[in-house]
Amino acid sequence: MGSGDSMALRDPAPPPGNVREAPRGGNELMAPARSVQGTSVSPGLAIGPVHVVLARPERVPEWSLPAGHVPAEIERLAAAVLAADAELERRQEQVAREAGEKDAEIFAVHRTILQDPQAIKEVERMIGEQRINAEKAVQLLIDRFEKSMGRLEGDYHRQYASDFSDPWFRVLDALLRRELEEIRSSDEKVILAAAELTPQVVTYIESNRILGVIAEEGGRFSHGAVLARSIGVPCVVGLPNLLARLEQGMRVTIDGGAGVVQLRPEPSDIDEFLDRRAKMEAVRDQLVVHAALPAVTPDGRQLDVRVNIESVRDLDMFDVEHTDGVGLLRTEFLYLERPQFPSEEEQFRMYRRVLERMGGRPVVIRTLDIGGDKPLPYFTTPTETNPALGWRGIRITLQWRDLLQVQLRALLRASVHGNLRVLLPMITSLEEVLLVHEVFDGVRKLLSEQGYEVSAEVSVGIMIEVPSAMLVLDQIIEHVDFVAVGTNDLVQYLLAVDRDNTWVSSLYDPQHPAVLAALKHVADVANRAGKPCSVCGEVAGDPATAVLLLGMGYDSVSLAPNFLPEVKFAIRSTEAVRAQHHAALALRATTANGVREVLDGIRHELYDHPSDERSTVGK
Ligand code: PEP
Ligand code: MG
């Protein structure tokens, strides 16, 4: 597999609005090109029907309708208006019962507004003339009305605007609810398309039904991107105006490594695509041989290769025997999938299952890391101007101690079922570590008073994601058992580049010399203190970067299961002394391009000069 198919850390994203149409040769002047160039997030090839989903509450899903589908869409609208009316009637009756007829009058007004034939005609006209889905047409009607009312002064008009919009928002709800029920009750596999790549999009349906993900916007290292890689599906972002060109169910192909999406491929395109995919799968099958072998260099250095997972379900995506454990279990997804906070018992059962399944291999479980782009629907966090620098991770759980206590209780109770290591996210100072130790000791003491058995071996480590923790690591290291570098956040905080923001994604550069210096510093401090150190950010999934990390002194990496065979192959193919040489060269580079040259050199050695073992792997 060549570097073009591995994680594309090198291609800067095009600035928004500057999407290049991929050259298709021939007839571009006569027909709009159907291949669109975006930014690679996750490699792989996929083909299938597209399903557009809601990415953000303020942006409804939109797609184009083929001419023959207009009547059916108008029927969908009529059904949603009826459902909204029924819901308003239900509320009207409830309020009349509980508060009196007078208070219930507003719902009667809303129902009348909904029956306004002018408004309904207007939405139907937009569906027919613009060939857009009902959700989009209703949204346009609301926008239009709010705009015209917004120009008028005074509370009366503002109130009127909201009275008008409210019933139409219920129509929108009904359309979206039905769409969600339909897709969730189907078993069709689809390519999800969205305005923005968020964790909500990638968890919209079960992961085994997602063939790929495409989005107009989204950072390559955002949590949505991390999730797409972790479920091992191709993903492309940076595709402005994509949704307007899609139809629900339209067939598309994705080349995740190259960042290309093809809309409505011709039969000949499909043949070519399937041929490429078969070749790629053959290469992958050859690499799988390495997955079963330990990641030991020819001169005998071992790099533990662990996996990043988000749920118990993920354990079915790889062979446990091929891993050196779980290097990062992001527990927030356990919380995100529930309608309310999971109980201690629920958490205990889940942690126990993971520990048992890993059969004595280390399992690093990270305490809740919500906030930022991972809000819990049932836990109100403030609207922040700068959420990445706001109330998130350990800051939340140290403030809402019972959240941390319940999670630690469940973890410690589960600890007797395997080899548990607890990891703390977003640590910025020694004080935070000491505070967590206090809570941890308290929980342990109480559990033993209550007669629970707890393993004496549970180690506690910290994520290095914030530069301050990296800079005072010399002082913190005595108080922790291990460190894990989260490069996804460390890069954003070191370079002052939001990992979720498409506008600055070309500046989000894991190959910046400052990132390498930080990685080396952490490895040096940990090695001096004799404490294990790993990297569990996305860069660890790039085989050439894994070689550099070994050369810098890391003893383990943790990555999406999909990348495991190739990373093991890279380590098994590179002498440790050679890896150290590459690391020294990369650390001397004064520019990101200089670092990239070193990485290219490693790839060249891996793929262009195959030794006996490597000869099975094509480029
Ligand atoms: C990281 O920041 O690199 C990391 C592993 O954590 P997350 O991606 O969940 O923020
Ligand atoms: Mg992080």
Side-chain angles (χ1 to χ4, degrees), residues 185-465:
S185 63
S186 135
D187 53 10
E188 189 184 24
K189 294 191 175 187
V190 292
I191 288 175
L192 295 177
E196 186 179 349
L197 179 64
T198 63
Q200 288 72 18
V201 170
V202 188
T203 48
Y204 200 69
I205 50 174
E206 305 92 318
S207 53
N208 59 5
R209 288 184 49 215
I210 304 176
L211 296 169
V213 183
I214 49 182
E216 291 187 345
E217 287 177 29
R220 286 172 299 155
F221 294 87
S222 65
H223 285 102
V226 167
L227 271 178
R229 278 192 288 272
S230 100
I231 62 172
V233 295
C235 177
V236 177
V237 297
L239 301 160
N241 306 320
L242 170 76
L243 299 190
R245 299 178 65 181
L246 293 179
E247 288 163 12
Q248 205 72 304
M250 175 198 269
R251 198 196 278 246
V252 305
T253 67
I254 310 179
D255 180 341
V260 175
V261 176
Q262 194 174 26
L263 313 180
R264 226 197 285 281
E266 302 284 349
S268 59
D269 297 328
I270 295 176
D271 288 346
E272 194 187 312
F273 182 87
L274 294 177
D275 194 43
R276 277 185 58 214
R277 191 164 71 174
K279 287 195 180 116
M280 206 169 180
E281 278 166 2
V283 171
R284 180 153 2 115
D285 288 348
Q286 288 175 334
L287 276 172
V288 164
V289 176
H290 298 275
L293 302 168
V296 178
T297 63
D299 52 345
R301 258 271 323 269
Q302 167 135 6
L303 181 75
D304 283 345
V305 182
R306 302 190 180 133
V307 287
N308 292 347
I309 61 171
E310 272 79 43
S311 69
V312 183
R313 277 193 314 274
D314 291 354
L315 292 170
D316 299 329
M317 285 170 36
F318 57 91
D319 187 337
V320 167
E321 299 295 322
H322 294 177
T323 74
D324 298 306
V326 168
L328 172 65
L329 167 53
R330 292 177 163 98
T331 57
E332 50 276 14
F333 292 95
L334 165 73
Y335 290 69
L336 278 168
E337 285 174 356
R338 300 274 188 296
Q340 63 208 25
F341 282 109
S343 65
E344 176 183 325
E345 221 34 56
E346 236 180 308
Q347 293 191 52
F348 163 72
R349 281 197 300 274
M350 186 194 95
Y351 304 145
R352 176 184 167 162
R353 271 174 65 199
V354 179
L355 286 160
E356 284 177 346
R357 273 289 288 282
M358 295 311 293
R361 292 174 181 79
V363 176
V364 179
I365 303 188
R366 185 171 75 183
T367 62
L368 188 59
D369 185 21
I370 47 168
D373 71 331
K374 291 182 285 190
L376 292 180
Y378 48 87
F379 179 64
T380 317
T381 42
T383 310
E384 297 170 301
T385 323
N386 222 336
L389 304 183
W391 204 45
R392 57 170 297 196
I394 204 76
R395 299 170 181 184
I396 293 185
T397 50
L398 274 176
Q399 196 164 338
W400 290 69
R401 291 281 165 95
D402 45 348
L403 279 181
L404 185 60
Q405 280 159 340
V406 170
Q407 187 167 31
L408 288 177
R409 278 182 67 89
L411 283 166
L412 286 176
R413 283 177 53 201
S415 65
V416 287
H417 298 281
N419 180 352
L420 172 67
R421 302 178 185 185
V422 176
L423 180 61
L424 311 173
M426 289 295 296
I427 291 290
T428 60
S429 66
L430 176 59
E431 285 90 330
E432 283 168 344
V433 177
L434 297 178
L435 275 175
V436 176
H437 277 311
E438 246 174 57
V439 180
F440 193 90
D441 294 344
V443 168
R444 184 188 271 283
K445 185 159 169 280
L446 189 62
L447 282 173
S448 92
E449 283 164 12
Q450 291 171 334
Y452 287 104
E453 218 194 313
V454 172
S455 162
E457 310 279 289
V458 183
S459 51
V460 178
I462 57 166
M463 297 279 297
I464 301 290
E465 294 166 295

Side-chain angles (χ1 to χ4, degrees), residues 57 92 166 170 218 258 265 292 301 332 445 451 481 538 542 559 569:
Q92 185 181 357
D166 197 82
R170 290 195 198 294
R301 258 271 323 269
E332 50 276 14
K445 185 159 169 280
D481 301 308
E538 297 300 292
D542 175 53
L559 34 93
F569 156 72

Side-chain angles (χ1 to χ4, degrees), residues 85-252:
D85 182 63
E87 171 63 10
L88 286 168
E89 186 179 19
R90 190 190 63 75
R91 282 172 193 230
Q92 185 181 357
E93 286 168 3
Q94 184 190 336
V95 173
R97 238 184 357 261
E98 291 169 3
E101 293 288 345
K102 187 115 193 71
D103 289 308
E105 266 170 21
I106 185 62
F107 294 101
V109 174
H110 283 184
R111 291 182 68 195
T112 316
I113 288 173
L114 212 48
Q115 301 313 324
D116 173 11
Q118 288 288 81
I120 293 182
K121 266 214 190 73
E122 175 65 7
V123 181
E124 289 177 354
R125 189 189 58 74
M126 285 190 275
I127 293 175
E129 283 178 9
Q130 298 181 36
R131 301 252 195 89
I132 50 176
N133 56 314
E135 290 88 337
K136 178 74 184 165
V138 170
Q139 181 69 67
L140 285 175
L141 179 83
I142 294 172
D143 289 351
R144 226 177 260 181
F145 194 79
E146 292 195 337
K147 215 182 211 167
S148 64
M149 281 293 152
R151 280 195 223 109
L152 303 172
E153 292 285 309
D155 287 351
Y156 170 77
H157 288 112
R158 268 193 289 279
Q159 181 56 44
Y160 185 60
S162 100
D163 277 343
F164 177 85
S165 323
D166 197 82
W168 280 100
F169 273 119
R170 290 195 198 294
V171 176
L172 254 186
D173 277 351
L175 285 164
L176 294 170
R177 222 180 14 255
R178 184 163 295 206
E179 180 272 331
L180 188 62
E181 277 161 18
E182 271 167 21
I183 185 76
R184 292 213 171 134
S185 63
S186 135
D187 53 10
E188 189 184 24
K189 294 191 175 187
V190 292
I191 288 175
L192 295 177
E196 186 179 349
L197 179 64
T198 63
Q200 288 72 18
V201 170
V202 188
T203 48
Y204 200 69
I205 50 174
E206 305 92 318
S207 53
N208 59 5
R209 288 184 49 215
I210 304 176
L211 296 169
V213 183
I214 49 182
E216 291 187 345
E217 287 177 29
R220 286 172 299 155
F221 294 87
S222 65
H223 285 102
V226 167
L227 271 178
R229 278 192 288 272
S230 100
I231 62 172
V233 295
C235 177
V236 177
V237 297
L239 301 160
N241 306 320
L242 170 76
L243 299 190
R245 299 178 65 181
L246 293 179
E247 288 163 12
Q248 205 72 304
M250 175 198 269
R251 198 196 278 246
V252 305

